[in-house]
Amino acid sequence: WFSTARPATMADAYADRSYGSDPVGFGKTLGIIVVDFQKAFTRPGGALAGSPHIEAAVEATQRLLTHARAAGVRVAVSYVAYATLDAMPHWKVRAVKTDLFRGMPGTELDPRITAGGQSDYAFDKWGASSFFQTPLAAYFTRHGVDTVAVCGCTTSGCVRATSTA
């Protein structure tokens, strides 16, 4: 039976269906995934840039990474870059099709994210999820990471896809 009554909030809608009722908890080893903090999204004039939310997220992530690296937490940094147009999946965003090819300025990682991250694992991805057809799961498995925190931009797409993979 499904009620058609609207819940007061989205959180209520999930709670009404028992989402979050059983705690999952954390594992023993944390890893951090940083999604798409590359110049196309973060630099002034970048093809996909301009949101003050992204700037705030970069600054918060920079602070997080400073503490995480000092604590020895594994950090993986993904970015979107394609070898050719034929290697790209279907996108409905023109800037992706013109500005995100390997070697282009938009694919370079934001230096605020990479500063101090000489041991970070950086890799390109071809789809929304940082896990889909990438070596990320193998990297975290190799280092015993069993809990991940995800931060980045394009929350409704790539961060969400990474978080639910």
Side-chain angles (χ1 to χ4, degrees), residues 3-43:
S3 171
T4 58
R6 294 194 74 139
T9 67
M10 183 62 80
D12 293 338
Y14 285 100
D16 290 348
R17 289 162 182 81
S18 75
Y19 284 81
S21 62
D22 293 338
V24 175
F26 296 97
K28 296 178 182 175
T29 306
L30 174 66
I32 295 176
I33 305 169
V34 181
V35 180
D36 294 348
F37 278 144
Q38 60 196 79
K39 291 182 179 179
F41 297 103
T42 64
R43 74 167 190 255

Side-chain angles (χ1 to χ4, degrees), residues 14-96:
Y14 285 100
D16 290 348
R17 289 162 182 81
S18 75
Y19 284 81
S21 62
D22 293 338
V24 175
F26 296 97
K28 296 178 182 175
T29 306
L30 174 66
I32 295 176
I33 305 169
V34 181
V35 180
D36 294 348
F37 278 144
Q38 60 196 79
K39 291 182 179 179
F41 297 103
T42 64
R43 74 167 190 255
L48 300 162
S51 169
H53 300 292
I54 291 177
E55 185 62 26
V58 169
E59 292 171 4
T61 300
Q62 186 179 20
R63 291 190 303 273
L64 169 70
L65 294 179
T66 297
H67 295 291
R69 290 172 181 138
V73 173
R74 296 282 175 178
V75 176
V77 182
S78 67
Y79 59 96
V80 180
Y82 300 98
T84 66
L85 190 59
D86 284 342
M88 185 181 291
H90 294 287
W91 284 102
K92 56 184 177 181
V93 181
R94 181 175 297 126
V96 171

